[in-house]
Amino acid sequence: MMDVDLRIYEHPILRFIRGRAVSFTFNNRQIRGYEGESIAAALLAAGIKVFRRSMKLGRARGFYCGIGKCSSCLMRVDGIPNVRTCIEPVRGGMIVETQTWEPDLPTTMEFDVKREKVDVDIAVVGGGPAGLEAAITASKLGATVAVIDENYKAGGQLIKQTHKFFGSVEAYAGVRGINIANKLLSELRKTKAHWILGSSVFAHYSGSSESLLAYGGGRYYRIRAKKVVYSTGAMENMLLFPNNDLPGVYGAGGVQTIMNVYGVKPGNEALIVGAGNVGLILGYQLLQAGVRVRAVVEIMPKIGGYKVHANKLMRQGVPILTSHTIKEVQGKEWVESATIVEVDKNFNMIEGSEERLNVDLVCIAVGLSPSIELPAQAGAKTSYIPELGGYVPLHNKFLKTSLENVYVAGDASGIEEATTAMFEGRIAGAETSASLGYNVQRAETIVENTMRQLEMFRKSPFSSRVVKGKMKVFSMMGDLT
Amino acid sequence: MKERTDVLIIGGGVNGCALAYYLVKRGANVTLVEREYIACGSSGRNAGGIRQQWSTRENVRLAMGSVKIFERLDEELGCETDYRQGGYLILAHTEEEVKQFKRNVSMQKSEGLEVEYLEQDEINDIVPELNVEGIGAIGATWCPSDGHADPIKVTIGYAEAAARKGAQIYKYTEVLGFRVEDNEIVEVKTSRGSIRADYIVNAAGAYSKEIAKLLGVQLPNKPYRHEILITEPVKPFFTPMIISFHDNFYFRQTPEGQIIGGWGNPREEPGYNYESSLTFAKNMARLLTKYMPKLRHVNVLRQWAGLYDVTPDARPILGPVETVRNFIQMNGFSGHGFMVAPMTATLIAQLIMGEKTSLPIKDLSLERFKGEVVKEVSVVG
Ligand SMILES: Cc1cc2nc3c(=O)[nH]c(=O)nc-3n(C[C@H](O)[C@H](O)[C@H](O)COP(=O)(O)OP(=O)(O)OC[C@H]3O[C@@H](n4cnc5c(N)ncnc54)[C@H](O)[C@@H]3O)c2cc1C
Ligand SMILES: Cc1cc2nc3c(=O)[nH]c(=O)nc-3n(C[C@H](O)[C@H](O)[C@H](O)COP(=O)(O)OP(=O)(O)OC[C@H]3O[C@@H](n4cnc5c(N)ncnc54)[C@H](O)[C@@H]3O)c2cc1C
Ligand code: FES
């Protein structure tokens, strides 16, 4: 078999620094990977798209979200089934296998798990911009903090955003997302905050204090905290169409991760579904990575994202087709082509307007939904707020939920953006610290100032929808008390 | 809401729904009211275990009668209930248990149940993956015709079949009070209006006690939280329910491969508590991995809780009460009301229709608590 290597070695703005080369086996075949890569990234780089078979029909399944939230990429690793390979780093000598419908358990009795107890004032779940800000703020005020993130690279969505940020100067406008992440990380490193990376928080129990359980890398954590900040971000929405489960249909954020974080070309010919900012930005990032973008389809009659982004794409000859959507994709084991179609005023497909594109990559950029499972499990009241992307935990403007000790910040409190996520994280960090008596005056000043910045930022017309949603949340929260 | 009905059933759990079915099948006019939705109570929260291995004769008979019905239930209701006869393996850890189990087996055999006592070295013939020595099991009883079904499918199956035959089911309808004249309920007040009925059946699960209280009837039942969890699916590798009274613990694998099981906290206090506890999760992880070390690699998907409606002798309360003539009890199932539901519902239907009940139920009336009671000991409490 010819050795395939889809890694990007030349890129107009990014340089990929790879770790030591290692070798592992996939279904008895030797695969090369680099330390720091996820298993999924290394497999995609080797041209492997099928990771498992579906339970009932045995259909091919592969990568989708790239951040451990969808379970599309489950494989058997060193005998252990159901490993999320998109957030599991490669190690030399590991054995990776396609998982069939019934994952079997390893027969060996050895299982070396370690246990660790962590006791802190504040547990921050999720190390994206919101969580990092919360942790930095609380640590600086003197609280003991643990930050837990299920990805083994901290920084959340920021680490794949290679474009220069729009937004407020105080909140890094003009800086590339990835550099913001690095800056926050180095600031956090200066504090005493406890880091737990590559570990998923999977349970929240309330009692005399809040107890979280986390697992990752062969280690169980029991984290006891007085306050918990959930900054768990969001997950990408899926669209319903025939064959949407075929490998090659990937979330836009997942594609960014593969391409911008790991430097792997996700396909050759792409179709993007959704012309909001995410879809548009992804469009020119794909071009930078040498992928041909055949079209961006948008079901609404007009482009949702910023004009600058749309123009940049159109200048490169990429058509942005409004009042169009995807009808279906075709292929046996992965995407071989996709059919797009025009829609009428009522979003019904117009018969006869179908067009088939020979693409091997379909990127779904149709919005995000807040990741609220854990606060909901803890018992926080939630409500469906379409302006904020779906169900969100009700919270007041200090980010406190209906539970005394549970806070939310960032996309988990309603889909918005990195800038506001950082503001919210800072408020939550200062509020929780103050409620525990740490440097109360200073904390209150931080809250006041940040609240003012947040209000200023949200004055922009682009924020009107979010503001409407937040108002609903605050008033429903007020009704509770 | 309609004005009148022959029988008003309070509670849309498996017992209320099964009763509705067997009554309409006999031609009665039936109305069922449920405070929330069908199977929202214990019937939608249990492990679906169906066993005939009990320590009291009444329970063995109730369960054996139910199994006969379960064997043909899909056909009867026209739905899938995932009923499987995978057997129950009940582990003995002490000499005392061995003695009790051997007594149970001979009593059960005299009832015609196919059941056997297994020595320690025979246990792995049934479930090879069980760490028999590690858990200190010294013997077991094994009944291959025990099994399990999906309790939600069974409950909804009964409700839909009953509705097809004309039962009126009011969801999101709460019973709030009664009007009683001459020791008889003449009207039932609900959140949707009032209704008259000849018979009123109290099948409100752990809330039956509260319903009875509205009529000045004292039930000795107490609600106890019981927690349970389910894992992700893995290749099916054992079919029996495995149960240990010693560890107060049971688990099985569903046909899809998920491991489902529970542990009873001996320190649980009575109360209407639905919270999931860390203590439970920790003990389940400890017990499951001790019983089957290979389960260490399985992730838990969900944890939840339901209520046991526990009587002093762990046996149900069935039939009329002395003080309110048309008030029929069908509660107090003490953590095993799913498996006996087909039979208890048949019996109560027979009672209401004036037929001869296929098993005597007098011993299960509320009045029994005035005298000495025989306790069912084979329970996970
Ligand atoms: C293509 C694109 C372009 C964007 N451009 C901009 C822009 O120009 N300007 C701007 O302001 N915003 C932009 N955004 C939005 C911005 O990235 C997000 O709003 C922001 O990252 C949200 O931050 P967060 O901290 O709330 O969540 P995230 O960044 O999503 O971080 C959440 C973290 O929580 C972790 N986590 C989740 N669940 C668990 C768990 N159970 N246990 C442990 N860890 C967990 C995740 O692994 C993740 O690292 C863009 C987004 C995209 C996708
Ligand atoms: C964790 C757990 C595991 C179990 N495992 C097993 C097992 O393996 N095998 C087994 O046989 N049993 C098991 N059980 C026990 C079994 O679930 C119960 O005995 C059985 O479901 C009782 O059914 P029911 O219809 O009597 O009550 P429920 O299912 O509790 O139904 C009562 C209904 O009454 C309604 N109600 C209450 N008050 C009112 C009102 N005022 N007005 C109107 N409606 C009202 C409630 O909403 C509820 O839906 C288990 C129980 C639990 C909690
Ligand atoms: S969980 Fe790995 S791709 Fe979504």
Side-chain angles (χ1 to χ4, degrees), chain B residues 267-287:
Chain B
R267 282 203 286 256
E268 190 72 48
E269 295 288 333
Y272 293 102
N273 180 1
Y274 287 95
E275 299 235 317
S276 291
S277 72
L278 178 55
T279 308
F280 172 77
K282 272 204 298 217
N283 272 292
M284 280 303 284
R286 180 178 60 79
L287 286 166

Side-chain angles (χ1 to χ4, degrees), chain A residues 40 62-74 84-87:
Chain A
F63 178 83
Y64 183 76
C65 74
I67 50 170
K69 295 204 181 190
C70 74
S71 72
S72 186
C73 65
L74 301 184
R84 289 173 293 175
T85 52
C86 67
I87 55 168

Side-chain angles (χ1 to χ4, degrees), chain A residues 49-52 60-64 72-74 245-247 250:
Chain A
K49 296 184 180 179
V50 180
F51 291 5
R52 73 177 172 101
R61 291 280 160 81
F63 178 83
Y64 183 76
S72 186
C73 65
L74 301 184
D245 59 339
L246 276 184
Y250 299 147

Side-chain angles (χ1 to χ4, degrees), chain B residues 295-346:
Chain B
L295 294 180
R296 287 170 165 179
H297 302 288
V298 183
N299 295 306
V300 173
L301 281 191
R302 283 189 298 282
Q303 175 186 345
W304 68 95
L307 298 171
Y308 275 17
D309 178 27
V310 180
T311 62
D313 60 2
R315 297 190 298 153
I317 301 178
L318 300 180
V321 296
E322 273 171 3
T323 47
V324 185
R325 270 198 302 274
N326 56 350
F327 184 46
I328 313 283
Q329 302 314 302
M330 192 189 194
N331 51 57
F333 289 99
S334 307
H336 45 269
F338 166 67
M339 62 183 80
V340 294
M343 199 55 198
T344 49
T346 302

